[in-house]
Amino acid sequence: MSSPRRLLGSLPTNILLVVLALVVALLPLILSEPLVRRMADEERLKMQTWAEATECIASQSDEQLNALALQILESNTTIPLILTDSLGNILGYKNIDPEAVARDSTYLARRLTAFRSGYAPIEIDLGTAGRQYLYYSDSSNLKRLLRFPYLQTGIFILYIIILVLTIRSLLHWEQDRIWVGLSKETAHQLGTPISSLMAWTELLKSYDLPPEIIESIGQDVNRLELIAHRFQKVGSLPELSPIELNGLIATSVQYLSRRISRQVEILFEPAAEELYCLITPDLMSWVVENIVKNGVDAMDGKGTITITTEAHGKNAYLEITDTGRGMTRATQRMIFKPGFTTKERGWGLGLSLARRIIRHYFRGRIYVKRSELQVGTTFRITLPLQQLP
């Protein structure tokens, strides 16, 4: 296929917006880091003061001084700590869950191991009594502060995701509204010339013309009227009924074969069994014809279109394969978007409406099964099968 024509946003602007969003998302982490470091330093200073108070109690006999030291020791109500001797034996602990210690005899040892992997211990010199070591971890307040920036960042990212999804939903709704309005206006504008053509067809019957010519013109006029009727239905819920898929496709193939290039061959390989699907014949025929015409354009009016149907579990598979130019990966991702086209002249409406019909009306799927440059493309349509009573 030819190179796609579509409007792209400014790449530098998009990159700038992404960088700005990342900066805003990471800002709480950046700003909180100095505060967390400062609190950690303050907690270590408190532990050093706690250690000095312990030394004071061990070395001084002054009662007022000892009372002050005890007050310092008791003031720590948030920082978990474990006190050991020089051999690593646990002498005491503070601000650690006593119930957990009572339930599990190894709990304190495991906490001590965790403390050792964190901050360096504070040495307490007791003089002739030896040395003790104070191991500690972050207080509950500091841990909450550490988690808060991540929580805030997560909430911000969630907000951005919701905002993006909302904007995308609004854009899709606006696009659908525009395409529906355009389709209905097209149907309205086609009404007058179609009426005139029908009148001229009746007039031609009074002339001495071959009946097959009059019949062919009448079929094309009826086809135009059918197309206008299809466009008028876009945006409204159609009435669905169980339709035999093979017969519908055969009718569309018969009509298209007489109106496309003679250098294009359409091969139809139907499933052996009948396939009934809950669809609207007019809309389903339009989807098939749109894909076939796109394939003819991709082959430059020369090649083979192969249409196959088969039952697969609870679904019917309809595949349309051309021998055209194929598509790149980037084009495959864009072809169903409204306004995207690879043609020099085109609205980029056909495949977008085809997907709307298949997905929203018939509860099926339509996608590119495979595509290879200079080899061809295969579209697959999946429709739920209906069991007739």
Side-chain angles (χ1 to χ4, degrees), residues 141-172:
N141 292 334
L142 183 56
K143 288 179 179 179
R144 280 193 291 267
L145 182 61
L146 284 169
R147 289 192 294 265
F148 179 75
Y150 294 97
L151 178 63
Q152 190 177 23
T153 301
I155 293 174
F156 175 79
I157 293 174
L158 180 62
Y159 169 76
I160 292 297
I161 292 173
I162 294 173
L163 183 63
V164 169
L165 292 176
T166 302
I167 292 174
R168 287 186 61 183
S169 178
L170 289 174
L171 289 175
H172 288 163

Side-chain angles (χ1 to χ4, degrees), residues 52-67 69:
E52 291 171 0
T54 303
E55 291 178 355
C56 181
I57 292 175
S59 62
Q60 299 292 334
S61 59
D62 188 283
E63 292 184 359
Q64 290 185 345
L65 191 58
N66 285 343

Side-chain angles (χ1 to χ4, degrees), residues 238-245 248-249 275-285 357-358 361-363 383-384 386:
E239 294 183 4
L240 306 181
S241 58
I243 301 296
E244 207 286 304
L245 189 61
L248 180 67
I249 302 301
L275 306 176
Y276 282 90
C277 301
L278 201 61
I279 56 178
T280 301
D282 292 349
L283 294 179
M284 189 64 209
S285 297
I357 291 168
I358 297 297
Y361 296 162
F362 301 161
R363 303 301 178 187
L383 296 170
Q386 295 295 311

Side-chain angles (χ1 to χ4, degrees), residues 368-386:
V368 178
K369 180 183 177 183
R370 57 177 172 267
S371 186
E372 187 176 347
L373 294 177
Q374 306 307 320
V375 175
T377 299
T378 298
F379 282 88
R380 171 178 280 181
I381 297 174
T382 304
L383 296 170
L385 282 171
Q386 295 295 311

Side-chain angles (χ1 to χ4, degrees), residues 71-369:
Q71 185 178 357
I72 292 174
L73 293 177
E74 293 299 326
S75 66
N76 172 33
T77 59
T78 59
I79 304 174
L81 59 87
I82 297 177
L83 187 65
T84 72
D85 60 19
S86 58
L87 298 178
N89 298 314
I90 297 176
L91 302 176
Y93 63 91
K94 190 173 178 59
N95 299 323
I96 295 177
D97 185 8
E99 294 183 0
V101 175
R103 286 195 307 267
D104 187 354
S105 59
T106 63
Y107 182 75
L108 272 181
R110 287 188 281 108
R111 291 298 302 271
L112 178 59
T113 302
F115 286 4
R116 282 172 173 164
S117 64
Y119 300 111
I122 297 173
E123 184 181 285
I124 303 174
D125 187 359
L126 301 178
T128 57
R131 298 178 184 273
Q132 294 178 350
Y133 294 91
L134 180 65
Y135 295 89
Y136 69 99
S137 182
D138 294 330
S139 67
S140 56
N141 292 334
L142 183 56
K143 288 179 179 179
R144 280 193 291 267
L145 182 61
L146 284 169
R147 289 192 294 265
F148 179 75
Y150 294 97
L151 178 63
Q152 190 177 23
T153 301
I155 293 174
F156 175 79
I157 293 174
L158 180 62
Y159 169 76
I160 292 297
I161 292 173
I162 294 173
L163 183 63
V164 169
L165 292 176
T166 302
I167 292 174
R168 287 186 61 183
S169 178
L170 289 174
L171 289 175
H172 288 163
W173 176 82
E174 181 66 17
Q175 287 177 341
D176 286 346
R177 192 175 66 86
I178 291 172
W179 293 124
V180 168
L182 181 60
S183 300
K184 291 184 180 295
E185 180 62 21
T186 300
H188 175 72
Q189 295 297 331
L190 285 173
T192 301
I194 289 175
S195 298
S196 298
L197 287 172
M198 293 177 69
W200 279 105
T201 303
E202 292 298 320
L203 180 61
L204 287 174
K205 290 180 180 179
S206 62
Y207 290 85
D208 188 18
L209 293 173
E212 59 272 14
I213 294 178
I214 303 296
E215 182 182 357
S216 181
I217 293 174
Q219 288 178 350
D220 287 335
V221 172
N222 292 335
R223 202 68 175 182
L224 283 173
E225 187 178 19
L226 181 60
I227 291 172
H229 181 62
R230 290 170 181 167
F231 273 98
Q232 188 67 36
K233 284 184 176 180
V234 173
S236 304
L237 290 176
E239 294 183 4
L240 306 181
S241 58
I243 301 296
E244 207 286 304
L245 189 61
N246 291 330
L248 180 67
I249 302 301
T251 301
S252 295
V253 168
Q254 183 181 12
Y255 174 80
L256 288 167
S257 297
R258 297 196 300 267
R259 287 164 176 81
I260 59 176
S261 170
R262 293 184 178 180
Q263 294 181 303
V264 173
E265 183 181 13
I266 301 180
L267 303 178
F268 178 39
E269 302 172 2
E273 67 274 29
E274 293 183 334
L275 306 176
Y276 282 90
C277 301
L278 201 61
I279 56 178
T280 301
D282 292 349
L283 294 179
M284 189 64 209
S285 297
W286 183 85
V287 170
V288 173
E289 292 167 17
N290 182 269
I291 296 175
V292 169
K293 289 177 181 177
N294 284 342
V296 173
D297 291 338
M299 297 186 301
D300 294 325
K302 184 178 181 180
T304 303
I305 301 285
T306 303
I307 303 175
T308 63
T309 60
E310 65 171 320
H312 191 274
K314 296 182 179 181
N315 295 312
Y317 283 175
L318 166 61
E319 293 187 358
I320 303 174
T321 303
D322 64 60
T323 56
R325 292 185 292 273
M327 292 181 286
T328 63
R329 294 275 185 177
T331 301
Q332 292 179 46
R333 289 192 293 268
M334 296 296 297
I335 55 172
F336 292 107
K337 294 185 179 296
F340 179 85
T341 179
T342 59
K343 303 174 184 177
E344 292 300 324
R345 295 180 180 179
W347 291 355
L349 178 62
L351 287 176
S352 174
L353 288 177
R355 184 173 68 166
R356 180 188 179 93
I357 291 168
I358 297 297
R359 291 179 59 181
H360 296 285
Y361 296 162
F362 301 161
R363 303 301 178 187
R365 292 180 61 208
I366 177 172
Y367 56 94
V368 178
K369 180 183 177 183

